[in-house]
Amino acid sequence: MTQRQVQHRINLKTQGLACGRGDTVLAADLSLEVAAGSALLLRGPNGAGKSTLLLTLAGLLHPLSGSIAFEGADPEAGPFLHHCGHRNAVRPRLSVVETLKFWADINGPGDVPPTTALDRVGLGRTAHLDAGYLSAGQQRRLVLARLLVSPRPVWLLDEPSAALDAAGRDLVAALLADHLRNGGLAVVATHDDIALPRAATLTLGARV
Amino acid sequence: MTQRQVQHRINLKTQGLACGRGDTVLAADLSLEVAAGSALLLRGPNGAGKSTLLLTLAGLLHPLSGSIAFEGADPEAGPFLHHCGHRNAVRPRLSVVETLKFWADINGPGDVPPTTALDRVGLGRTAHLDAGYLSAGQQRRLVLARLLVSPRPVWLLDEPSAALDAAGRDLVAALLADHLRNGGLAVVATHDDIALPRAATLTLGARV
Amino acid sequence: MSGFLGVLRRELRLSFSGGGEVLTLVLFFVIVGAIVPFAIGPDRALLASIAPGIIWIAAFLAMLLGLDRLFRPDRDDGTLALYRMADMSMASVVAAKVIAHWLTAALPLILASPFLAMILAMDGPTFWRTVLSLLLGTPALAAFGAFGAAITVALRRGGLLAPILIAPLCVPVLIFGVGAIAPLGGPDQASSAMLFLAALSLMAFALSPFAAALAIDWGEE
Amino acid sequence: MSGFLGVLRRELRLSFSGGGEVLTLVLFFVIVGAIVPFAIGPDRALLASIAPGIIWIAAFLAMLLGLDRLFRPDRDDGTLALYRMADMSMASVVAAKVIAHWLTAALPLILASPFLAMILAMDGPTFWRTVLSLLLGTPALAAFGAFGAAITVALRRGGLLAPILIAPLCVPVLIFGVGAIAPLGGPDQASSAMLFLAALSLMAFALSPFAAALAIDWGEE
Amino acid sequence: MIALGEHAEFIIAAYAGVFIGLGLLIGWIVYDSRRVRARLETLGDKRG
Amino acid sequence: MSIDDTPKMSWWNRLAHPGQFLGWTRPLIWPLAGVTTALFLLGLWFAFFNSPADYQMGDTVRIMYVHVPTAWLSQFVYAAMAVSALGTLVWRHPLADVSMKAAAPLGAAFTAMALFTGSMWGRPTWGTFWEWDGRMTSTLILLFIYLGIVALWRAFDDQLRAARVVAVFTLVGAVNVPIIKFSVDWWSTLHQPASVFRADGPTMPGSLLTPLFVMFFAFTLLFVTLQLLAMHTEIRRRRLVTLERRAARGDTL
Ligand code: HEM
Ligand SMILES: Nc1ncnc2c1ncn2[C@@H]1O[C@H](COP(=O)(O)OP(=O)(O)OP(=O)(O)O)[C@@H](O)[C@H]1O
Ligand SMILES: Nc1ncnc2c1ncn2[C@@H]1O[C@H](COP(=O)(O)OP(=O)(O)OP(=O)(O)O)[C@@H](O)[C@H]1O
Ligand SMILES: [Mg+2]
Ligand SMILES: [Mg+2]
C-alpha cells in the first residue's frame, strides 16, 4: 500500500445549501464557511436535521440544492474526511484492537499505531477484549480512536459525547483541540457543551 | 381486560447486592434504600456498571449475591416497574400512535390515552407518522410516553436524556418530578445533570 | 387478553404492511418448488411421483426460513425486553406469535399450492390430500419453529441456526405429512398418518409456547 | 491493497470465529439433502437418478440463504457507511466479500458433498463430475448472490427477498450445473455445459462487484 | 353465440379468466387512484 | 419553500415534469379508455362471431386472441421497464421511475394471464395444463422476476432510493433474460424431442389475423391507459407522502 500523503488545510464552503430527507427540506439556504483550524458546532432541537446536514456534508446524502466545496482538497489523494454517525460500526467477536486495525486498513493507516490510539482514548486495558462487550460509552471511545489511526483533515462528528462520562467529554474536547491546532477542520453536532477554541455555532430551526 | 389496580407507595431495599456480567463483579455490597416519592441517580464513568445495575434491579439479570426487595409491591397485581434501556423498541412501519397503543396493550393501559401522552412529550403532531422516521431524540421522547400510558410506581431509566435537546431534558425532569410527587420511585442512570428534588446519588466505581 | 390481541394485531400489521413479507414467503415457496424440475429433469411421471414431497419440502423450508423474523427483530430493538416486563406471560406472547406466524407463513402457502401442483403435474385427488395434510401439519411446524427461534434468539446471530436445529425435530411432521398424501400402505395408512399429523400439531401447539417462553427467559438474562 | 486484504481477513475471521456460521451453512446443506429421502421415499434407484439435482439444489439454497449476512450486519452497525468513505472503492470491497463468501459458503459445501453423495446412493464417477460442476458453478452463485444482497441491503429487513430476486436469475447456473453432471445428450453436451458454467462464473464474477457497488451507493443515500 | 366445439369449457375459462383478471386489475388501479386523491383532498391539496 | 433543481427546462423536460405531465395527460385518459373498450368489443365480436375455427385446432384457436396479445405484452412491458430504468439511471428523470413502478404490476398481470391462457390452450391441444417447454418455462421465470420486482418496490419506504436500486436490478434482469431463455431452450430440447406440438406455423390465414390484430391493439391500448392512470396515482402518492410528513413537522402546507 502506498502511504498516501496526508492532506492539509482544507476549508469548507457551502453556497445556498439545502438538505433534507426525500422531499422534506430540513435546512435551506445555508452558506457556511469553516476555515482550516476552526470548528463549527451544530445545535438545535431533536429532529432539526443536524444528522442530516452532517450526512450531506459527508457526501452520503445528496444536497437538495446548492453546493458544497472543500477548498484545498485533492480528490486524487483519496478521501479526506471522517464521519462518525450514531452507529459505532463495532462488531462483536472481533477484539477491540482488531477492530481498530481493520479501520486503519480500510481508511489508510497513519503514524499513530492502534495501541497508542487506544491508550489515548482510555481503552488501553481492553485492547484484547471482544469489542461487543464494551459498554455504550466505551464503544464511543473506540470510535474516537478511529479518528486518530487514519489522519484526515476534516472531521464530521454526530454527537461524539453521547453516552460519555465527564472524563470522556473532556477527552472529546482535547482531541478536537489537538485536531484544530494541527490545521484540521471539524463540524460537530451536539446537545452537550463542548469547550472549543475558535468554534462558531449554527443553530438549526426548532420544530419538534 | 380487567383494569388492574395501580399499585402505590413501593420502597426499594437492597441488601449486600452485588451485580455484574458473567463472573465479572461490577458493583458489590450495595445496600440501597429508596423510599416511595424519592429518586436515586446513578452516576459513574463509562463501563462502571450502571446499566448492569438497572437490569439487575429490573429482574432481567440475576444478582450475583445479596437481595432486592420491593416493599409494598403486590406480585398478584401484575408488574409494577418500567425499565427503559438503551434500545427504544421502536419498529419502523408502525405509526407513532400505533406503537404507543401496542405498548399500552401489553403493559396494561392506564388513564392517560395515547394521544394525550404524545402531546405531553411533544410528539402530538407526529402521531400518524411512521415511527421509523423519528430522529434519535424523537424516538427517545416516544419511549418517555410509554411511561405515561401504563402507570407503574417504579421507573428504572437508563440515560433517559441521551440524544435529547435542552427542552427534552427539562421534559424528563418534569416527568420525573410529577412521578415522584405521585408517590412513585425512580432510579436513573445518567451522565447529564437532571434537576430532581429529593434525589440521592450513587456513584459507581471508576474502571474504564 | 388485550395484550394477546395487541401482539397478534401488531404481528399481522407488520407482515402485511409495505414490507410484503407474506408475498416474499409465498414467492420463495413457489420458486423452490419450481426450480426442482430444472435440477431433476422435466419428466412428467417422475415429477408427479415426487410432487407431494416437493411441495412439503418447499413448505417446510419456507416456514423454517421465515422463523428469523419471529423474535430476532424484537430482540434487536428491545421489544423482547419489554415483553418480559409486560402485563402478560411470555407464553401468551409466544402463542400470539405462533398464531400470527401460521396465518402469515403457512396459510398463504397453502393458498398458493394449486399453482405448484399444476406445474408439477399433480392429479386432482392427490392435490386435495396435499392441501389437507398441509392444513393439518403446518401448525406443528409453526409451533416447533417458534421453539427453535426462541432458542436461537439469545445468540447474537441466529440466521440459519434455528432452521437447522428445528429441522430434525420436524422430520416426523414431514414423514406423516407425505405419508398422508401418497400412502405406500393404502388408504388406511393415509388416514392414520393424518391422525398422527393432527395429534402432533395439537401437542406441539399446546406445549411449545411454554417451552419457548422458558428458553427466552433463560437465554436473555 | 491493504484495504482489500483487511476486508477479506475480517470476513474470514467473523465466519470462522465462535459463531460457527460456516458450520451452520454446511449443516443446512446436509439437512436439505438428507430430508429429501424422507419426503420422496427411500427408493435407491430413484434417489440415485435425482441425486445430482438434489445436491445442486441444496447447494443453491444454502448459498442463497447465507446471503443475508453478506452486507446486512455491516449496514446495521454502520460499517457500510465507513466503507463508503474508505480509501478503497466499493467495488473492491464487494470483490473481497464475494471471495470470502465463496470461501466460507461454497468451499465447505463442496467438501461436505461426499457425505450427501453417500446417503443419496450416488456412484463414483457421477460424484466426481458433481464436484467439478460445483467448483465451476458456485462462483457464479456467489457473485450473483452478492448482487442480490447489495440490492436488498438498504431495506430495513431484507430477509428472504435477496434469495427470491436472485433465484430466477440463477436458473441458468442450475441448468448447466446439473447438465454437466447427468447429460442426457451424452458427453458432448456435458462438456459444453461445463464450458457454459465456467463462462457464467467468469462473467458474473467480473461484473457483479460493479453492479453491486452501484446498488449499494444508490440505495444508501 | 356460435357453438364452440368440444373444448368449449377451456375457451370460456380462458376468456373468463383473462377478463376477470383485467377487471380486478382495473378495479384495483381505479380504487387506488381514488383513495390517494381522497387522502390528498383531506390534506387540502388543490392541485388535484 | 420552493426548491426546484430541475435544470433548464427544455420542451422535453417541461412535458415530462411530473406536475406538467399530470396536466397534459389527464385529458387523454377517458378517450383512451373509450377507444380501448371499443376495440375490445370489436375484437370479441371477431373472435366469437366472425372468425372460423382452425382446420387443425378447431375452436380452441380462439384462445389465441387472448393468449398471444398477453404473451406479447409480457415481454413488451419488460422492455419498457428496462428503458425506463435507463432513464432513471442515466438521465435521472423523475418520471422514469414513476413509469417503472407503475409498469411492474401490469407486466406481472399480463404474464400471469399469458400463462393462464396458455395452459387453458395446452389442455385441449397437448392434453396437459403444463409442459416444461422452453418458451413456457422462460415465461414462468419472467413472472418470478416481475413479482420479485414488485416485492422489491414494496419493501422500500423511500421511493426515490428504491427507484435507483430497482433500476439496477431491472437492467441486470434485462441482461439476464436472454441468457435464461438460451439456457432453458438448451435444457428443454435436451429433455424433449420435438414431440411437443407447435402451433406457430409461419402462415396464418387472414381470417385469424384480423381478430388477432384487433385484440393486440386493444390490449396494448389498455396497457397504455392503465399505465397512465397508475403513473398519475404514483405521482399523487408521492406528493401525499411529502405533504403528510410536512404536516407532521408542523410546516404550513
Ligand atoms: C402456459 C403455457 C404457455 C406459455 C407461457 C406461452 C407463452 C407464449 C409466449 C411468451 C409467446 C410469445 C412468443 C414470442 O413473441 O416469441 C407465445 C406465443 C404463442 N403461443 Fe404460447 N404459450 C403457452 C402455451 C401455448 C399453447 C398451448 C399454444 C397452442 C397450442 C400456444 C400457441 C402460441 C402461439 C400460436 C403464439 C404466437 C405465435 C408466435 O409468436 O410465434 N401457446 N406463447
Ligand atoms: N431515513 C429517513 N427518511 C425520512 N425522514 C427521516 C429519516 N431519518 C430521519 N428523518 C426525519 O428527518 C428529520 C431530521 O432528522 P435528523 O436525524 O437529521 O435530526 P437531528 O437534528 O439529528 O435530531 P436528533 O437531535 O434527535 O438526533 C426528523 O424529523 C426525522 O423524522
Ligand atoms: N453482555 C455482556 N457480557 C459481558 N460483559 C458485558 C456485557 N455487556 C457489558 N459488559 C461489560 O460490563 C461492564 C459494564 O457495562 P455497563 O453497560 O453496565 O456500563 P455502564 O456503566 O452502563 O457504562 P456506560 O456509561 O458507558 O453506558 C463493561 O465493562 C462491559 O465491558
Ligand atoms: Mg441526530
Ligand atoms: Mg450504560
Side-chain angles (χ1 to χ4, degrees):
Chain A
M1 153 95 208
T2 55
Q3 176 83 32
R4 281 187 172 158
Q5 192 185 327
V6 179
Q7 309 196 16
H8 277 304
R9 306 217 69 83
I10 290 184
N11 304 317
L12 163 65
K13 281 220 178 87
T14 71
Q15 202 87 56
L17 178 68
C19 64
R21 301 287 195 154
D23 303 330
T24 321
V25 182
L26 288 165
D29 207 22
L30 295 175
S31 295
L32 304 173
E33 287 202 30
V34 189
S38 68
L40 176 69
L41 290 180
L42 291 182
R43 303 191 152 271
N46 296 135
K50 300 178 296 298
S51 304
T52 309
L53 176 56
L54 283 180
L55 288 171
T56 312
L57 291 178
L60 297 178
L61 285 177
H62 265 290
L64 299 185
S65 70
S67 67
I68 304 172
F70 286 96
E71 291 175 352
D74 174 11
E76 296 294 289
F80 51 85
L81 60 78
H82 276 302
H83 173 269
C84 297
H86 289 296
R87 288 170 304 176
N88 296 332
V90 167
R91 181 73 64 84
R93 298 204 191 278
L94 290 181
S95 77
V96 171
V97 66
E98 273 176 332
T99 307
L100 198 54
K101 274 198 188 122
F102 165 66
W103 287 339
D105 279 344
I106 63 169
N107 284 337
D111 310 325
V112 185
T115 46
T116 318
L118 285 180
D119 285 339
R120 179 83 172 87
V121 300
L123 291 178
R125 276 206 298 249
T126 61
H128 295 285
L129 213 65
D130 182 332
Y133 285 146
L134 297 184
S135 76
Q138 288 170 323
Q139 293 199 357
R140 213 61 198 160
R141 283 166 187 259
L142 182 51
V143 170
L144 293 177
R146 179 170 82 220
L147 302 175
L148 304 179
V149 288
S150 311
R152 292 187 179 176
V154 179
W155 289 3
L156 307 175
L157 311 182
D158 200 351
E159 309 202 13
S161 58
L164 287 182
D165 51 21
R169 290 177 190 184
D170 293 344
L171 173 69
V172 172
L175 292 181
L176 276 169
D178 277 0
H179 178 62
L180 298 183
R181 193 159 343 104
N182 294 334
L185 178 162
V187 183
V188 183
T190 182
H191 293 299
D192 296 318
D193 293 313
I194 302 184
L196 277 188
R198 286 192 304 287
T201 300
L202 172 70
T203 305
L204 294 181
R207 44 178 110 204
V208 164
Chain B
M1 155 96 208
T2 55
Q3 176 82 31
R4 282 189 171 156
Q5 194 185 325
V6 179
Q7 308 196 18
H8 277 306
R9 307 217 68 82
I10 291 185
N11 303 317
L12 163 64
K13 281 219 177 86
T14 72
Q15 201 87 55
L17 179 67
C19 65
R21 299 286 195 159
D23 303 331
T24 322
V25 181
L26 287 165
D29 206 23
L30 295 175
S31 295
L32 305 172
E33 287 202 30
V34 190
S38 68
L40 176 69
L41 290 181
L42 292 181
R43 302 190 154 272
N46 296 135
K50 300 179 295 298
S51 304
T52 309
L53 176 57
L54 283 179
L55 288 171
T56 312
L57 291 178
L60 297 178
L61 286 177
H62 267 292
L64 298 184
S65 67
S67 69
I68 303 171
F70 286 97
E71 291 177 350
D74 175 9
E76 296 293 290
F80 52 84
L81 61 79
H82 275 302
H83 173 270
C84 297
H86 288 297
R87 288 170 303 176
N88 295 331
V90 166
R91 182 71 65 85
R93 294 205 190 273
L94 290 181
S95 76
V96 171
V97 64
E98 274 176 329
T99 308
L100 198 55
K101 275 200 187 121
F102 165 67
W103 287 339
D105 279 345
I106 63 168
N107 284 335
D111 308 326
V112 185
T115 45
T116 318
L118 285 180
D119 285 338
R120 180 83 172 84
V121 299
L123 292 178
R125 277 203 295 248
T126 60
H128 295 283
L129 211 66
D130 184 331
Y133 285 140
L134 297 185
S135 76
Q138 289 171 321
Q139 293 199 359
R140 213 62 197 159
R141 285 166 186 259
L142 183 52
V143 170
L144 294 176
R146 178 170 83 219
L147 302 174
L148 303 179
V149 287
S150 311
R152 293 186 178 177
V154 179
W155 289 4
L156 307 175
L157 311 183
D158 201 349
E159 309 201 14
S161 57
L164 286 183
D165 50 21
R169 290 177 189 184
D170 293 343
L171 173 69
V172 172
L175 291 181
L176 276 169
D178 277 359
H179 178 62
L180 299 182
R181 195 163 338 106
N182 294 334
L185 179 161
V187 183
V188 183
T190 182
H191 293 299
D192 297 317
D193 293 313
I194 301 184
L196 275 189
R198 287 193 305 286
T201 300
L202 170 70
T203 305
L204 294 181
R207 46 178 109 203
V208 165
Chain C
M1 205 54 202
S2 87
F4 184 83
L5 291 182
V7 176
L8 193 61
R9 202 174 320 124
R10 173 169 184 266
E11 295 290 315
L12 295 180
R13 268 287 273 130
L14 284 173
S15 302
F16 284 101
S17 74
E21 305 211 323
V22 172
L23 177 63
T24 316
L25 220 58
V26 170
L27 268 178
F28 182 80
F29 170 72
V30 173
I31 288 179
V32 169
I35 61 172
V36 170
F38 295 118
I40 65 175
D43 178 352
R44 291 181 59 82
L46 177 66
L47 279 181
S49 74
I50 63 174
I54 297 177
I55 291 193
W56 254 98
I57 289 186
F60 187 81
L61 288 177
M63 285 199 68
L64 292 188
L65 293 168
L67 283 182
D68 207 39
R69 67 166 194 205
L70 211 53
F71 296 112
R72 178 156 317 278
D74 278 350
R75 169 164 199 269
D76 289 347
D77 71 9
T79 308
L80 202 61
L82 275 189
Y83 284 141
R84 297 183 63 197
M85 282 173 302
D87 194 10
M88 60 192 295
S89 68
M90 189 56 94
S92 47
V93 173
V94 177
K97 286 193 166 244
V98 171
I99 293 177
H101 185 56
W102 189 80
L103 286 176
T104 58
L107 202 55
L109 305 191
I110 298 178
L111 296 180
S113 60
F115 179 73
L116 267 190
M118 188 185 83
I119 62 178
L120 294 176
M122 219 172 189
D123 61 54
T126 318
F127 168 67
W128 287 113
R129 279 205 303 280
T130 308
V131 170
L132 187 61
S133 84
L134 283 174
L135 274 174
L136 287 177
T138 44
L141 288 185
F144 278 127
F147 176 62
I151 289 187
T152 52
V153 71
L155 305 173
R156 290 223 185 88
R157 285 203 61 71
L160 285 179
L161 201 52
I164 66 168
L165 280 179
I166 287 306
L169 281 185
C170 291
V171 164
V173 181
L174 196 64
I175 293 179
F176 290 124
V178 179
I181 304 173
L184 296 181
D188 256 20
Q189 288 268 358
S191 57
S192 63
M194 287 278 182
L195 275 181
F196 280 127
L197 212 55
L200 263 179
S201 281
L202 270 180
M203 206 185 64
F205 184 72
L207 294 183
S208 97
F210 298 98
L214 271 185
I216 291 177
D217 279 342
W218 282 339
E220 273 300 292
E221 70 183 21
Chain D
M1 205 55 200
S2 88
F4 185 84
L5 292 181
V7 176
L8 194 61
R9 201 175 321 123
R10 173 168 185 267
E11 294 290 315
L12 295 179
R13 269 286 276 129
L14 283 173
S15 301
F16 285 103
S17 74
E21 305 212 324
V22 172
L23 183 63
T24 317
L25 221 58
V26 171
L27 274 177
F28 183 80
F29 170 71
V30 171
I31 286 179
V32 169
I35 60 174
V36 169
F38 292 115
I40 65 173
D43 177 351
R44 284 182 66 83
L46 178 65
L47 278 181
S49 75
I50 63 176
I54 294 175
I55 291 193
W56 254 100
I57 287 190
F60 189 81
L61 289 176
M63 286 201 68
L64 290 189
L65 293 169
L67 285 183
D68 207 38
R69 65 163 195 208
L70 209 54
F71 295 113
R72 179 157 319 281
D74 277 350
R75 172 172 197 260
D76 289 346
D77 71 9
T79 308
L80 201 62
L82 276 187
Y83 284 140
R84 296 184 62 199
M85 281 173 303
D87 194 10
M88 61 193 292
S89 70
M90 188 57 96
S92 48
V93 173
V94 177
K97 286 194 166 241
V98 171
I99 294 176
H101 186 56
W102 188 81
L103 287 175
T104 59
L107 204 55
L109 304 190
I110 298 177
L111 296 179
S113 60
F115 176 72
L116 222 50
M118 198 182 68
I119 60 178
L120 294 175
M122 217 170 188
D123 62 56
T126 318
F127 169 68
W128 286 113
R129 279 206 303 279
T130 308
V131 169
L132 185 61
S133 85
L134 282 174
L135 274 174
L136 284 179
T138 43
L141 288 184
F144 274 121
F147 174 66
I151 289 278
T152 53
V153 70
L155 297 173
R156 294 226 180 85
R157 286 202 65 72
L160 285 180
L161 200 50
I164 65 161
L165 283 175
I166 287 307
L169 300 187
C170 287
V171 162
V173 182
L174 194 63
I175 288 179
F176 293 128
V178 179
I181 304 171
L184 293 182
D188 254 20
Q189 289 272 359
S191 57
S192 65
M194 285 277 183
L195 274 183
F196 286 135
L197 208 56
L200 267 178
S201 280
L202 270 181
M203 203 189 66
F205 183 73
L207 294 184
S208 96
F210 298 98
L214 268 188
I216 291 176
D217 278 341
W218 280 334
E220 274 299 295
E221 73 183 19
Chain E
M1 189 74 135
I2 54 167
L4 286 176
E6 45 174 338
H7 297 303
E9 70 259 37
F10 294 104
I11 302 174
I12 292 170
Y15 277 81
V18 166
F19 283 93
I20 290 174
L22 286 182
L24 288 179
L25 193 64
I26 296 171
W28 165 251
I29 288 177
V30 169
Y31 163 75
D32 198 29
S33 159
R34 293 262 164 87
R35 197 181 49 168
V36 169
R37 275 156 79 167
R39 270 165 67 197
L40 263 180
E41 251 160 50
T42 58
L43 276 178
D45 182 72
K46 289 159 287 292
R47 282 175 292 175
Chain F
M1 206 175 68
S2 64
I3 281 162
D4 191 315
D5 63 347
T6 326
K8 304 284 153 288
M9 288 260 221
S10 66
W11 65 270
W12 162 244
N13 270 330
R14 212 170 313 126
L15 277 188
H17 182 270
Q20 309 275 348
F21 175 79
L22 215 56
W24 72 264
T25 52
R26 198 165 24 200
L28 294 181
I29 295 227
W30 278 113
L32 271 174
V35 177
T36 309
T37 318
L39 277 177
F40 264 118
L41 292 177
L42 184 66
L44 283 177
W45 179 74
F46 267 121
F48 284 106
F49 300 103
N50 196 15
S51 75
D54 187 67
Y55 67 98
Q56 234 179 357
M57 288 182 284
D59 282 302
T60 54
V61 77
R62 296 181 206 281
I63 296 181
M64 179 172 73
Y65 310 134
V66 282
H67 171 70
V68 174
T70 47
W72 182 71
L73 272 179
S74 72
Q75 297 170 4
F76 172 76
V77 174
Y78 199 91
M81 271 167 49
V83 172
S84 300
L86 269 183
T88 298
L89 293 185
V90 180
W91 301 291
R92 296 219 159 190
H93 201 288
L95 269 185
D97 45 283
V98 171
S99 132
M100 205 166 51
K101 182 171 185 190
L106 294 177
F110 287 124
T111 314
M113 283 174 206
L115 283 172
F116 176 74
T117 51
S119 37
M120 286 301 127
W121 201 353
R123 185 62 214 249
T125 38
W126 305 335
T128 66
F129 285 111
W130 183 262
E131 203 45 76
W132 288 92
D133 130 276
R135 193 158 60 173
M136 296 165 60
T137 308
S138 44
T139 308
L140 179 65
I141 295 177
L142 187 64
L143 178 66
F144 291 152
I145 295 180
Y146 269 124
L147 291 177
I149 291 177
V150 172
L152 191 57
W153 269 115
R154 286 169 48 93
F156 272 94
D157 295 316
D158 179 349
Q159 298 298 300
L160 294 177
R161 277 195 307 174
R164 278 174 238 143
V165 171
V166 178
V168 180
F169 182 76
T170 308
L171 285 180
V172 170
V175 173
N176 237 285
V177 164
I179 301 180
I180 293 174
K181 182 110 179 63
F182 167 73
S183 68
V184 170
D185 278 339
W186 183 84
W187 173 74
S188 62
T189 51
L190 196 68
H191 289 279
Q192 297 171 324
S195 68
V196 175
F197 168 71
R198 293 283 192 151
D200 43 353
T203 52
M204 240 185 261
S207 54
L208 298 187
L209 276 182
T210 323
L212 186 58
F213 272 111
V214 175
M215 283 302 239
F216 229 80
F217 284 118
F219 272 96
T220 311
L221 276 186
L222 179 69
F223 165 68
V224 172
T225 317
L226 291 181
Q227 169 79 1
L228 272 183
L229 197 54
M231 282 174 73
H232 289 184
T233 308
E234 185 57 27
I235 292 173
R236 290 198 184 100
R237 199 196 325 272
R238 290 180 183 190
R239 197 152 76 210
L240 180 68
V241 171
T242 311
L243 288 181
E244 275 179 345
R245 296 238 181 101
R246 223 179 270 170
R249 296 165 41 77
D251 294 357
T252 45
L253 292 177

